[in-house]
Amino acid sequence: MSNKKIAQSKKSILLDIDGMRCGSCVQAVEKILKNHPNINNASVNLVTKTALVEIKEPNYPFADVIQTLTSKGFPTRERPDQTITKNTELERNENQNLWNKWRQLIIATSLLILSGLGHLIEGQQISFPLIGSLPFHAALATFALLGPGKSILNAGIKSAIMLTPTMDTLVSLGVMSAYIASIIALIWPTVGWPCFFNEPVMLLGFVLLGRFLEERARINTGTALKELAKLQPETANLILDNNEIREIRIGALRPGEKIQLLAGDRIPVDGLVIKGNSAIDISSLTGESLPLEAKPGVELPSGSLNLESTITLEVQKIGSETAIAKIISLVEEAQARKAPIQGLADKVAGMFCYGVTTLSLITFLFWWRIGTRIWPEVLEVSNTGFMHSHNLHDHLMNTPQTPIGLSFQLSIAVLVVACPCALGLATPTVITVASGEAAKRGWLFKGGDVIEMASKISQIIFDKTGTLTIGRPLVVGCWKNNESERNFMLKLAASIELESRHPLAQAIIQEAHKKEIKLEKVSSSTTYPGKGLAGKINNLEGLIRVGTPEWIKSEGIEWNEMIENNFKLSKRKAQSIVAVALDNKLLGFFLIDDQIRKDAFLSINKLRSRGFSLSLFSGDRDSAVLSIGEKLGFSAKQVTWQMLPSDKLNKLNLLKNNGLVAMIGDGINDAPALAAADLGVAIGTGTQIAQDSADLVLLGENLEALPNAFNLSKQAMLKIKQNLAWAFGYNLIALPIAAGLLLPSSGLLLSPPLAALLMALSSISVVLNALSLKSK
């Protein structure tokens, strides 16, 4: 984790890379990137077709590596800062890419239909001599290769020449070997080879069908990110100097300008409310169900929704600096950073095509020279093999009546049935879906590695103030001496404390505002550091003292046995006590405390029920920390108080000996521990430095998001393991069957068209399994 965090401090660049088809492509692209002298690390995502590149020197030339990738069949461009325009362009490119695949599929399907008609005609079920002729099928195969199959052949041959074979290479070898063998058999019938002209047509048809369905499913994995991008409108109502309202593009806005937001408008930029009051729906960004109260002085993030009335906003941040743009950028980077579990799949995928090509060659030689001599009966039973074509005619169908014909068919099936695509898609599809779905709920994982780490955490450390508590003191009770009126006591205390910045003073002032108590003007006041304040207000005789009970008592204020007993009773509650006195009479005490978050109890209980070991760290006094710990069910051994940042760091490192540790915090003093933890989690209402140091940021104030985020990470890892198990298992089973392992014993033959269909379904199943994460 520490290495990852060092990498995060370096400049990162996001690249858009086209032409990647499978895990072998990913391995080839990563190899090129990592060999560049200015690149520290690179992580390539097959699903989003991006690469997150960490560079050493920002000013070092970078265009050469982009040119190298492009020349090797992977057109590459650097992605500029995140803007809504860019997202629109990406979506348009995706739709165009999907349309191109659909167009290729339509042509390939038409050729499939014509090929099928040829079989029916040859079987004398319908009469149309031209379509049933061998030259016609040769023409169909040629058109299939030069038409819808051209891009596959070009990419496959180019990759083979550069010694970086991919899925396109395997398909190209299978298609071209069938086509060339058929051409030779057509021109020189004396060689006695069967014709495979229907193979290129059927293979390309099924491959293109699979790629179209895969592309459509892959696009759906980025739905969450697109929904986030759509939260930012394209225009805003600018208020000119003469108060005229003009609609302009948000790209033309500048900080300091004023915009008008009507009820129902999305907020286009980060801004400060300067006029009006309304309720703002921020659920799309933070997952918070309760609306935010917008009034002058309140900052609003872009992407949130104005619910009630018209407000005026002063523009603060625009473009890539806005909250929604940063969230989108963070999610894109998270999707590009792969999980460590993908390492094995990438290594296998990197050598996969070499292994499959070798197996195909061995299969051909074995069945041509050895297999058919040991088991001559396979030449007869192979006609009825699994999903084998019906034997209406020998020259069009795949009836393997000779050893070389059977060898061709089995070797082609091996090439086509292999699926490095499933291996390459197994992890990134899940990471893309999981990080996108998490972002919609206000949980920002900073990478696939973070999702994997979150799934392994066994210990969780909580900071107290601002994490388990709301982070600001509030008046939670009071004790009145004799018949003192609570509001009168509150009015005096708040009036005297009005100029103080002390958190306890602010709690009293906030309580007075809440009760709508009008405060009096202070005529004189004196501050006694560490003790309190004394002063006078207009229209009231006598000196008012507000401060610690000990100081009040030392000033000679009346302090009888009843007051002492109530003071001791209040002190046992581990709350801060502020005493209020008028002249020599004690009016009473205010009890002030930092309240526990409403959802803290539920969150803590959920985490305990799932087997997490919990601890509570705090720099606060022992009584306050122990009190909150007791309320939340922490044992005395799990609670530590009066800790400096260095103390938190040292204690955290000790806990690491017992398992992986997550640290949950929100303040500057939590930053070292957040960075040192195996998983740092920052509460979104906390400081920016805490969020920058964390691996997972929970936007808003909903602490219940924590167990839900951990649960999502576990579900995501389960999906990844399912995908990897399927991808490895499919190839382990399909390749031997395609090579003819079961042919001698059961006559089971996997025909090349069926092999192509199984290959396509393998990739699609991996993507669909990832998409099912949405429903959890």
Side-chain angles (χ1 to χ4, degrees):
M1 182 61 66
S2 58
N3 292 336
K4 171 182 69 64
K5 289 182 178 177
I6 292 172
Q8 282 181 328
S9 63
K10 302 184 188 307
K11 181 174 175 58
S12 297
I13 293 176
L14 199 63
L15 301 177
D16 289 312
I17 303 178
D18 293 330
M20 294 189 295
R21 306 292 184 195
C22 61
S24 298
C25 302
V26 171
Q27 194 77 353
V29 170
E30 282 192 349
K31 185 177 180 181
I32 294 171
L33 289 172
K34 290 178 179 178
N35 286 339
H36 191 273
N38 190 40
I39 293 178
N40 186 61
N41 196 17
S43 183
V44 180
N45 188 309
L46 177 61
V47 177
T48 58
K49 296 182 179 178
T50 59
L52 181 64
V53 179
E54 295 164 1
I55 61 176
K56 299 173 184 177
E57 297 294 335
N59 297 325
Y60 191 93
F62 194 70
D64 55 336
V65 73
I66 294 179
Q67 184 177 356
T68 300
L69 285 170
T70 302
S71 66
K72 290 186 178 293
F74 304 108
T76 304
R77 59 189 178 279
E78 182 179 343
R79 181 175 296 187
D81 289 335
Q82 177 64 54
T83 62
I84 192 69
T85 305
K86 182 62 183 175
N87 275 280
T88 304
E89 181 184 340
L90 285 175
E91 187 172 356
R92 187 163 50 246
N93 290 340
E94 282 183 344
N95 291 335
Q96 182 62 42
N97 192 27
L98 190 62
W99 166 247
N100 290 336
K101 282 183 168 54
W102 173 250
R103 186 173 54 191
Q104 289 178 326
L105 178 59
I106 290 296
I107 297 173
T109 303
S110 301
L111 296 178
L112 266 175
I113 293 172
L114 289 174
S115 180
L117 286 174
H119 300 327
L120 294 176
I121 293 166
E122 193 70 20
Q124 298 180 353
Q125 296 183 25
I126 59 176
S127 178
F128 204 125
L130 175 63
I131 295 180
S133 66
L134 191 58
F136 178 79
H137 283 267
L140 280 183
T142 304
F143 185 77
L145 293 175
L146 298 179
K150 184 178 179 180
S151 59
I152 295 177
L153 294 178
N154 286 342
I157 294 171
K158 193 171 187 178
S159 298
I161 292 172
M162 294 182 177
L163 300 180
T164 55
T166 65
M167 189 67 229
D168 284 339
T169 308
L170 298 181
V171 174
S172 298
L173 285 174
V175 170
M176 290 301 296
S177 59
Y179 180 76
I180 293 173
S182 301
I183 289 292
I184 293 173
L186 178 63
I187 297 175
W188 296 289
T190 55
V191 298
W193 292 1
C195 286
F196 296 97
F197 284 126
N198 68 318
E199 300 288 12
V201 177
M202 299 182 76
L203 288 179
L204 290 173
F206 285 131
V207 168
L208 291 172
L209 173 63
R211 291 195 175 175
F212 172 77
L213 296 176
E214 180 188 314
E215 180 73 10
R216 188 171 180 180
R218 188 190 66 80
I219 289 174
N220 288 337
T221 63
T223 300
L225 194 60
K226 294 171 191 172
E227 289 178 2
L228 283 173
K230 290 176 181 177
L231 292 178
Q232 189 177 35
E234 297 184 9
T235 61
N237 294 323
L238 177 66
I239 302 177
L240 303 177
D241 293 338
N242 59 359
N243 289 327
E244 180 186 347
I245 307 295
R246 179 177 297 173
E247 185 178 40
I248 65 169
R249 294 180 300 102
I250 61 167
L253 288 174
R254 295 293 177 265
E257 293 181 330
K258 297 176 179 60
I259 60 174
Q260 182 189 68
L261 291 167
L262 305 177
D265 285 351
R266 284 276 175 197
I267 299 174
V269 294
D270 290 0
L272 182 71
V273 179
I274 57 176
K275 182 180 179 182
N277 293 272
S278 187
I280 306 297
D281 180 4
I282 57 173
S283 60
S284 299
L285 300 178
T286 67
E288 295 283 353
S289 57
L290 294 177
L292 175 70
E293 182 184 354
K295 55 186 178 181
V298 173
E299 295 181 359
L300 300 180
S302 58
S304 47
L305 178 65
N306 182 21
L307 295 175
E308 293 181 342
S309 58
T310 302
I311 56 176
T312 300
L313 212 64
E314 181 181 300
V315 177
Q316 291 184 315
K317 296 178 181 178
I318 59 174
S320 61
E321 295 300 314
T322 61
I324 187 65
K326 286 183 175 179
I327 289 174
I328 292 172
S329 179
L330 190 61
V331 174
E332 285 180 332
E333 290 192 9
Q335 292 176 346
R337 276 174 46 192
K338 65 177 62 177
I341 195 173
Q342 179 69 7
L344 176 61
D346 284 347
K347 289 179 181 177
V348 172
M351 301 300 296
F352 190 86
C353 293
Y354 294 104
V356 170
T357 305
T358 303
L359 178 61
S360 176
L361 180 60
I362 292 172
T363 299
F364 177 82
L365 294 175
F366 175 80
W367 287 107
W368 181 28
R369 291 299 186 186
I370 302 173
T372 51
R373 293 181 181 180
I374 299 175
W375 302 288
E377 67 275 10
V378 299
L379 297 176
E380 300 298 330
V381 301
S382 59
N383 289 350
T384 57
F386 179 61
M387 286 296 289
H388 190 269
S389 304
H390 53 83
N391 49 354
L392 296 178
H393 52 292
D394 293 344
H395 65 282
L396 287 178
M397 300 308 297
N398 315 353
T399 309
Q401 297 176 340
T402 63
I404 197 168
L406 176 63
S407 302
F408 265 124
Q409 184 172 1
L410 292 176
S411 61
I412 292 170
V414 168
L415 288 171
V416 177
V417 80
C419 192
C421 296
L423 286 172
L425 292 168
T427 297
T429 49
V430 178
I431 296 301
T432 301
V433 172
S435 55
E437 289 298 306
K440 285 169 62 177
R441 294 168 172 80
W443 320 330
L444 300 181
F445 289 97
K446 294 185 178 179
D449 50 343
V450 175
I451 294 176
E452 182 172 347
M453 179 60 71
S455 71
K456 298 177 180 178
I457 292 296
S458 60
Q459 304 178 89
I460 300 176
I461 300 170
F462 286 94
D463 170 57
K464 179 183 77 72
T465 306
T467 303
L468 292 176
T469 66
I470 61 176
R472 59 183 183 275
L474 298 173
V475 174
V476 295
C478 74
W479 173 79
K480 298 173 292 181
N481 186 12
N482 296 329
E483 298 299 323
S484 299
E485 185 186 348
R486 184 181 190 277
N487 285 356
F488 175 68
M489 182 173 70
L490 183 60
K491 180 177 183 178
L492 297 186
S495 296
I496 293 296
E497 299 272 27
L498 195 58
E499 298 301 320
S500 174
R501 298 299 178 191
H502 194 281
L504 298 183
Q506 293 301 309
I508 293 174
I509 295 168
Q510 182 178 344
E511 183 69 10
H513 287 318
K514 183 179 176 181
K515 299 291 185 182
E516 297 183 350
I517 295 174
K518 184 179 180 182
L519 303 185
E520 299 291 342
K521 187 175 181 180
V522 178
S523 57
S524 64
S525 68
T526 304
T527 300
Y528 298 87
K531 298 178 180 179
L533 288 90
K536 292 185 176 182
I537 61 176
N538 295 339
N539 305 320
L540 183 67
E541 294 292 331
L543 183 66
I544 303 167
R545 293 181 178 86
V546 183
T548 65
E550 293 79 6
W551 175 62
I552 294 289
K553 185 177 180 181
S554 68
E555 289 291 299
I557 304 300
E558 174 190 0
W559 199 273
N560 54 37
E561 186 177 352
M562 181 188 70
I563 294 174
E564 180 66 21
N565 289 336
N566 279 280
F567 169 64
K568 290 179 178 178
L569 185 64
S570 299
K571 195 173 183 181
R572 286 197 202 106
K573 297 180 180 179
Q575 297 165 336
S576 299
I577 302 174
V578 177
V580 183
L582 178 59
D583 278 340
N584 295 324
K585 182 181 179 182
L586 180 71
L587 299 181
F589 308 131
F590 283 112
L591 306 180
I592 300 176
D593 200 5
D594 184 4
Q595 290 185 307
I596 299 174
R597 292 180 186 267
K598 292 180 180 179
D599 56 357
F601 296 94
L602 181 60
S603 301
I604 293 294
N605 289 335
K606 276 187 177 181
L607 291 170
R608 280 203 186 97
S609 67
R610 294 172 185 172
F612 290 99
S613 174
L614 307 182
S615 301
L616 175 58
F617 288 1
S618 179
D620 208 347
R621 65 192 189 283
D622 57 351
S623 58
V625 180
L626 286 168
S627 174
I628 286 180
E630 183 179 354
K631 291 176 182 176
L632 292 173
F634 287 90
S635 66
K637 293 181 179 179
Q638 295 174 319
V639 178
T640 313
W641 53 89
Q642 293 180 331
M643 302 181 78
L644 298 172
S646 58
D647 297 328
K648 291 183 179 181
L649 189 59
N650 293 334
K651 188 70 179 289
L652 184 148
N653 287 329
L654 287 176
L655 287 176
K656 278 187 172 183
N657 296 326
N658 301 324
L660 297 175
V661 180
M663 173 70 193
I664 322 298
D666 78 313
I668 293 176
N669 62 333
D670 297 321
L674 287 170
D678 296 299
L679 181 76
V681 184
I683 304 298
T685 52
T687 61
Q688 186 62 45
I689 191 170
Q691 294 185 33
D692 291 342
S693 303
D695 305 293
L696 167 61
V697 178
L698 304 178
L699 300 177
E701 299 184 355
N702 185 5
L703 194 61
E704 193 179 351
L706 183 63
N708 293 336
F710 278 123
N711 187 46
L712 178 68
S713 70
K714 290 183 181 297
Q715 290 179 9
M717 291 310 299
L718 178 61
K719 290 291 182 186
I720 288 174
K721 290 173 182 177
Q722 289 172 351
N723 280 352
L724 288 174
W726 165 249
F728 279 113
Y730 162 80
N731 284 296
L732 286 175
I733 295 172
L735 281 171
I737 294 176
L741 179 66
L742 301 180
L743 185 56
S745 60
S746 62
L748 190 64
L749 176 69
L750 193 64
S751 65
L754 177 62
L757 183 60
L758 290 177
M759 180 269 292
L761 292 176
S762 176
S763 297
I764 296 167
S765 63
V766 165
V767 180
L768 293 179
N769 188 45
L771 287 171
S772 69
L773 185 65
K774 287 185 177 183
S775 61
K776 296 293 184 180

